[in-house]
Amino acid sequence: MKTKRGNVQTLEGKSLAGRIALVTGGGNGIGKHIALTLAREGADIVICGRDGSALQKTGQEIILGFGVSVFFHPLDATKLEEVQSFFREIVAPLGRLDILVNNIGWVDTIIPFEELTDELWYRAFEFNVMTTVRFCREAIPWLEQSKHANIVNIASMSAKQVGAWNYHYCAAKAAQVNLSSGLSRHLGKKGIRVNAVCPSTVKGEGMWERDVPDSARIRGTSLEEAAVHIEKKVRAKTSLNAICVPEDVAEFVAFLVSDRARFITGTAVSIDGGGTRSVF
């Protein structure tokens, strides 16, 4: 863990000034951009994840760019004891928590249903559901003490609209959305808002970098051809003929955890350029 308060800009007028936000998987990809955006809005930031080097780099970016405090700590969220230790060693000394963003999630590979083993199903639920369960369970006692308590679970468009692959991932993300809805009812009386965000395929780090090699392998093409194929396919799924980038998700999360969204809870909002073909 490291902490430092920068002095680059004043926090006066920031929508999240004085609040503490924990972003899981905050070293890379969507999680990194969420952490940066919440810091820009004045929140002190706690980030965790497997890649200690990435956490350090993201923490340094926040320190250099925004006048907030940063705490970062590597952990494996699939191990209960490491999550519990993280809350004892990092969150407890802070004395409170206002925002929890459950961003950790993953799927090993693009694979058809017939090839999905029990182990792959278990891993999908471990990464995408149980990590959310563990962080929510540990965070709730701290969030109960906040007047601005929020939980945001980063799910996926796949939770609402299943494609031709990754049934284990789709089912896990649907479970995460279901959990979010249930928790919103359970925790509403305690003043804790709970929402899910469902992005479409996000260009950039993380799964995009995994999907390109997987597509090249499945289709028997080069990486360059696979990248072009995926981008064209993703664009075609949207009404805007556009691709989601991490900033699209981060900006909405910053709104969702602010007082401007004070009457929004129990939702699963699609950030998909109109790609989900549903009226709900």
Side-chain angles (χ1 to χ4, degrees), residues 129-257:
V129 181
M130 291 310 300
T131 56
T132 298
V133 168
R134 292 183 184 114
F135 272 92
C136 286
R137 189 167 54 207
E138 296 297 323
I140 286 170
W142 299 102
L143 292 170
E144 287 175 342
Q145 303 173 41
S146 172
K147 295 180 180 179
H148 308 281
N150 274 276
I151 297 173
V152 177
N153 297 322
I154 307 301
S156 170
M157 174 183 174
S158 299
K160 299 183 177 183
Q161 183 163 293
V162 180
W165 304 87
N166 297 338
Y167 291 101
H168 56 331
Y169 177 74
C170 297
K173 285 301 184 182
Q176 190 182 31
V177 169
N178 188 285
L179 172 65
S180 301
S181 179
L183 284 177
S184 73
R185 291 180 173 83
H186 176 62
L187 299 175
K189 60 183 177 295
K190 298 181 180 181
I192 302 174
R193 293 193 289 115
V194 186
N195 293 285
V197 175
C198 300
S200 57
T201 302
V202 179
K203 186 175 183 177
E205 303 175 68
M207 288 190 182
W208 182 276
E209 293 184 341
R210 182 223 58 205
D211 288 347
V212 171
D214 278 353
S215 178
R217 174 180 54 80
I218 292 170
R219 300 177 70 248
T221 65
S222 68
L223 291 175
E224 292 76 14
E225 290 173 317
V228 171
H229 170 76
I230 287 179
E231 184 159 335
K232 183 178 180 180
K233 184 178 179 181
V234 170
R235 284 182 179 275
K237 289 180 179 179
T238 74
S239 301
L240 300 175
N241 191 34
I243 296 178
C244 185
V245 294
E247 291 85 352
D248 294 324
V249 181
E251 292 292 343
F252 185 76
V253 170
F255 162 75
L256 201 54
V257 301

Side-chain angles (χ1 to χ4, degrees), residues 115-133:
E115 297 178 25
L116 285 171
T117 64
D118 283 3
E119 179 60 26
L120 289 173
W121 278 95
Y122 293 142
R123 283 174 60 82
F125 273 78
E126 183 68 38
F127 273 107
N128 297 286
V129 181
M130 291 310 300
T131 56
T132 298
V133 168

Side-chain angles (χ1 to χ4, degrees), residues 57-86:
K57 289 178 181 178
T58 298
Q60 199 64 28
E61 282 188 48
I62 294 172
I63 289 169
L64 293 175
F66 310 100
V68 301
S69 293
V70 184
F71 306 81
F72 49 93
H73 188 78
L75 59 74
D76 182 347
T78 67
K79 297 181 179 178
L80 173 61
E81 63 275 13
E82 292 196 23
V83 176
Q84 292 174 328
S85 176
F86 170 78

Side-chain angles (χ1 to χ4, degrees), residues 22-81:
L22 164 57
V23 181
T24 71
N28 294 299
I30 297 173
K32 172 182 178 178
H33 284 84
I34 292 173
L36 289 168
T37 304
L38 299 186
R40 185 198 70 198
E41 293 302 313
D44 291 331
I45 303 297
V46 184
I47 51 177
C48 62
R50 287 186 170 186
D51 190 339
S53 177
L55 293 172
Q56 185 171 10
K57 289 178 181 178
T58 298
Q60 199 64 28
E61 282 188 48
I62 294 172
I63 289 169
L64 293 175
F66 310 100
V68 301
S69 293
V70 184
F71 306 81
F72 49 93
H73 188 78
L75 59 74
D76 182 347
T78 67
K79 297 181 179 178
L80 173 61
E81 63 275 13

